[in-house]
Amino acid sequence: MIEQNKDEGAPGPRKMHRRTLLGGMATAAVVLAQTANGKTFQAGVTRSELVYPEDPTKVPGVPPGTVGTRSPHVKLAKLPSETSSRTPLQDLFGTITPSDLHFERHHNGVPAIDPAQYELVIHGMVARPMTFTLADLKRFPSVSRICFLECSGNYRSQDDGKIAPQQICGLTSQSEWTGVKLSTLFREVGVDPKSTWFLAEGGDSAVMTRSILTSKGWEDAILAYAQNGEAVRPEQGYPVRLLLPGWEGNANVKWLRRLELSDQPYHTRQETSKYTEAIGDGKVRQFSFVMDARSIITYPAYPAKVEKGWIEIRGIAWSGRGKIARVEVSVDAGKTWQPAELQEPVLDKAHVAFRYLWQWNGQPTEIMSRAIDETGYSQPTLKELMAARGGNMGYHLNPITAWYLQSDGQVLFKAT
Amino acid sequence: MWKNYLRIVLLTGLVGSVCFISPGSFSLPIHPARPDSLNWPKTFGFGKPAAAQQIARLDTDVRPDGKGLPSGSGTARRGKTIYAAKCASCHGATGVEGPNDQLVIVQGLTDPATKAKNKVIGNYWPYATTVFDYIKRAMPFNQPGSLTNQEVYSLTAFLLHANGLIKETDIINAQTLPKVLMPNRDSFVPDDRLNTPAVR
């Protein structure tokens, strides 16, 4: 108890010296800052309210805080609609999506789940139907992996070209996920070898359900309770979500409360009336889980305006089938293609960053990228995709995205 | 694995042409014992046995074969009243007006954009059981999970009748619902992309 008091600012004799010193430094910072902007700082020192001194080397800075903040100069935001919220791909660097910018898609809002009350039930074709608390799940051998998560309804276009990567395909994000392998739990409950499918059910008010191949559970599925080093965010399924590397986002059921092992799919509303796609000849593709290879140039991209001269073309590429083998860039509207440089490490079923150094002569042109994965699959144009599917659009559209550079440097989207 | 899937697909009549797909072209292996778990104990002993009541409280899902359908029954006539009170404000007076998802088929459309949206229970959904399952778990949107089994059966009957799939006087229950034939059922085919790098 004494130790606790010390930390709350009533230090005992032994810690007095250090605490007082820290307190003194903090106070000094606030007092000095008050001279420049007293009112703001009395309300509480936050970095976003900082007014910049003429010379930051001449005044002490803000003392250590409990939670970090973005620079007030950095405005990063998802783009919400009624049903989803999109990651600002054009504003990000590298391949990890900050957790608060991970895209959202849910079917009746984000539920408030008390982690102390949380339970996961596994039943059906198992030897031992079991329930696991959050603490139980965290006791099992754990695993972490970096992979993308993408909604299969992730393509938008706009005729005037004034559309950013965020709107075109902002329903893809990447995190390091940590949790317990589903195979570990399958083993624990004794899954019947005859089980071929399982139902995954969420604890949101849509009580979202999807049928998943049991083989995916044995292969690489994870019950994730952490994302980028901290607990999974509520929008991403707190406290526990299903993670199926490379598979369409909708199947990665969030707020996971139940798994029922079965020997046939359930044909839930999501996997019949929604996440299915017409492919011509009156046929509709169902259980198309895997996300095909895709890439997009995120710079230069609308709304950017560029100058002629050296431009590092940057983007991301990914495939649900495996690793990206290479990315090719065209700066002449698809007539010729050159290999882009891939940033290591190139991970399985993960966003990889690519770049291509280019000298623009200022003449209007189109630039575009295409991803080729380790299975040999090459990202198609929209025309090729639609031709392969009897002229239909719908889920699982992964077309090459072109950017038109006008002579004034304005970059505009162009469908392929 | 895929052999099983294909067998299931054939048994449920999902698609006849699937037998032209070579089972050998799929590679989704089962890993009952992973190398990294060979020295693990048989079980870790974490968690506790699930009580039958707890499972029963959560396990409301319904399969196409009817497994999971509760007792009770409904008719389109009874469903009509419930629909007007609890569903029409979102789905429209007759299930086509919206503002939210269209539920009932519109015949004779010519405009391609309108036709593309006309993918509803009567001409798209492959199984009638899904209607019951979904209404029961997620509807009405502002009061999900509030309907009784009788109400859900009646709403299911109302929607199936409005889509021209059953008669107004048909009784919908655990025995009759799985037998309702959905016109689009044979259109659904499994994923054919993964055995080739070709664009599909």
Side-chain angles (χ1 to χ4, degrees):
Chain A
M1 287 310 291
I2 291 165
E3 286 299 313
Q4 226 173 29
N5 281 340
K6 284 176 190 170
D7 286 339
E8 284 166 8
R14 284 187 63 205
K15 279 202 171 176
M16 175 89 83
H17 180 70
R18 188 169 169 271
R19 297 294 301 179
T20 307
L21 184 62
L22 280 175
M25 285 168 69
T27 306
V30 172
V31 170
L32 281 171
Q34 273 178 333
T35 319
N37 188 4
K39 205 170 182 183
T40 306
F41 278 51
Q42 274 167 7
V45 181
T46 64
R47 287 157 177 80
S48 60
E49 290 167 331
L50 275 175
V51 171
Y52 294 96
E54 251 176 58
D55 182 350
T57 69
K58 297 292 184 280
V59 289
V62 175
T66 53
V67 176
T69 57
R70 291 199 171 102
S71 161
H73 285 290
V74 177
K75 307 288 184 202
L76 293 172
K78 289 189 280 194
L79 184 67
S81 71
E82 269 184 33
T83 55
S84 68
S85 194
R86 295 162 169 264
T87 295
L89 298 174
Q90 68 282 353
D91 299 329
L92 302 182
F93 300 90
T95 59
I96 297 291
T97 309
S99 297
D100 60 347
L101 298 172
H102 193 293
F103 83 86
E104 291 178 53
R105 176 72 178 99
H106 27 79
H107 298 80
N108 198 354
V110 177
I113 295 175
D114 178 357
Q117 301 295 318
Y118 174 80
E119 280 190 316
L120 171 71
V121 177
I122 307 183
H123 70 113
M125 292 175 68
V126 302
R128 297 172 291 280
M130 300 282 290
T131 71
F132 301 98
T133 64
L134 182 57
D136 291 333
L137 294 175
K138 289 179 177 174
R139 290 178 73 187
F140 283 99
S142 60
V143 63
S144 291
R145 81 172 284 169
I146 294 171
C147 60
F148 76 86
L149 194 53
E150 183 184 15
C151 176
S152 56
N154 193 24
Y155 177 69
R156 294 273 163 84
S157 64
Q158 199 166 291
D159 289 343
D160 67 5
K162 294 178 178 174
I163 183 172
Q166 183 166 22
Q167 286 123 320
I168 297 163
C169 63
L171 298 176
T172 186
S173 306
Q174 175 148 291
S175 303
E176 183 203 48
W177 300 96
T178 300
V180 50
K181 277 182 191 163
L182 185 50
S183 61
T184 302
L185 294 176
F186 276 6
R187 214 174 150 274
E188 190 73 12
V189 301
V191 165
D192 187 331
K194 290 195 208 67
S195 168
T196 48
W197 292 84
F198 68 91
L199 185 77
E201 182 177 83
D204 59 330
S205 54
V207 204
M208 245 284 298
T209 44
R210 283 294 303 259
S211 304
I212 310 294
L213 287 165
T214 304
S215 59
K216 183 67 172 175
W218 286 115
E219 193 183 346
D220 62 357
I222 295 171
L223 303 192
Y225 45 73
Q227 175 187 9
N228 296 335
E230 60 174 338
V232 168
R233 297 259 169 155
E235 298 85 356
Q236 307 312 323
Y238 181 82
V240 177
R241 78 170 308 156
L242 182 61
L243 186 77
L244 307 171
W247 283 24
E248 64 183 3
N250 183 257
N252 295 249
V253 176
K254 296 186 278 191
W255 314 292
L256 192 68
R257 74 170 192 184
R258 187 169 70 94
L259 300 174
E260 181 172 5
L261 280 295
S262 173
D263 58 4
Q264 57 180 279
Y266 288 76
H267 295 282
T268 71
R269 183 248 194 179
Q270 298 293 340
E271 64 207 20
T272 53
S273 74
K274 291 295 171 186
Y275 291 84
T276 53
E277 56 271 2
I279 53 171
D281 294 332
K283 297 294 178 197
V284 178
R285 186 185 288 147
Q286 192 184 18
F287 299 123
S288 40
F289 293 116
V290 174
M291 300 305 297
D292 279 325
R294 188 169 191 181
S295 69
I296 184 166
I297 291 170
T298 53
Y299 183 83
Y302 181 83
K305 205 170 168 183
V306 292
E307 291 175 29
K308 72 176 180 181
W310 289 106
I311 293 174
E312 184 176 72
I313 295 173
R314 300 171 185 152
I316 51 171
W318 63 100
S319 172
R321 300 187 188 210
K323 286 183 185 173
I324 288 295
R326 62 184 196 278
V327 175
E328 295 172 342
V329 169
S330 172
V331 293
D332 56 8
K335 288 195 237 357
T336 61
W337 295 84
Q338 287 78 38
E341 185 189 333
L342 299 187
Q343 175 64 59
E344 293 290 338
V346 177
L347 300 173
D348 184 41
K349 305 179 179 93
H351 287 169
V352 55
F354 68 86
R355 50 183 80 97
Y356 178 77
L357 195 57
W358 173 52
Q359 197 168 19
W360 183 39
N361 62 10
Q363 294 301 308
T365 189
E366 280 174 40
I367 62 171
M368 56 187 82
S369 64
R370 70 178 173 207
I372 297 102
D373 69 22
E374 62 182 347
T375 72
Y377 178 92
S378 182
Q379 182 183 8
T381 63
L382 183 63
K383 286 188 190 77
E384 288 167 341
L385 261 179
M386 289 179 68
R389 298 181 191 173
N392 292 291
M393 293 180 71
Y395 294 95
H396 288 280
L397 288 177
N398 58 322
I400 291 172
T401 300
W403 297 105
Y404 179 67
L405 273 64
Q406 294 184 156
S407 53
D408 67 355
Q410 179 63 58
V411 184
L412 294 168
F413 161 84
K414 192 156 178 272
T416 59
Chain B
M1 166 65 249
W2 273 93
K3 227 183 243 174
N4 280 335
Y5 176 39
L6 294 179
R7 184 168 51 81
I8 291 154
V9 164
L10 288 168
L11 282 176
T12 53
L14 190 64
V15 54
S17 61
V18 78
C19 52
F20 292 113
I21 299 169
S22 154
S25 57
F26 295 101
S27 57
L28 288 168
I30 290 177
H31 299 285
R34 302 179 65 92
D36 61 359
S37 65
L38 290 178
N39 60 354
W40 287 5
K42 189 164 178 288
T43 68
F44 288 91
F46 307 149
K48 59 178 195 221
Q53 292 148 297
Q54 183 183 16
I55 295 174
R57 185 164 47 79
L58 299 175
D59 184 7
T60 66
D61 54 68
V62 175
R63 291 198 319 204
D65 60 5
K67 182 178 171 287
L69 280 170
S71 56
S73 67
T75 62
R77 195 161 296 165
R78 271 188 272 154
K80 192 175 184 178
T81 317
I82 305 164
Y83 180 88
K86 300 189 174 182
C87 316
S89 61
C90 284
H91 296 287
T94 66
V96 301
E97 302 89 345
N100 294 329
D101 281 24
Q102 181 188 335
L103 304 176
V104 175
I105 190 168
V106 177
Q107 305 286 357
L109 290 173
T110 49
D111 171 48
T114 323
K115 267 173 88 173
K117 284 185 188 159
N118 193 36
K119 287 180 176 175
V120 297
I121 295 168
N123 63 357
Y124 197 79
W125 292 38
Y127 296 98
T129 47
T130 309
V131 181
F132 184 99
D133 178 275
Y134 184 67
I135 296 173
K136 172 80 178 164
R137 71 176 56 248
M139 290 289 119
F141 198 71
N142 59 348
Q143 286 184 297
S146 63
L147 300 171
T148 65
N149 290 334
Q150 293 285 109
E151 287 176 312
V152 179
Y153 273 123
S154 292
L155 284 170
T156 304
F158 170 75
L159 292 173
L160 293 175
H161 170 64
N163 277 285
L165 301 170
I166 62 168
K167 294 199 290 283
E168 192 176 16
T169 50
D170 283 349
I171 291 166
I172 288 298
N173 58 30
Q175 285 70 48
T176 57
L177 183 59
K179 294 189 184 122
V180 175
L181 282 180
M182 304 296 272
N184 201 38
R185 181 178 299 184
D186 291 346
S187 301
F188 286 80
V189 297
D191 196 354
D192 62 345
R193 296 171 300 156
L194 302 181
N195 57 347
T196 168
V199 173
R200 283 186 171 172

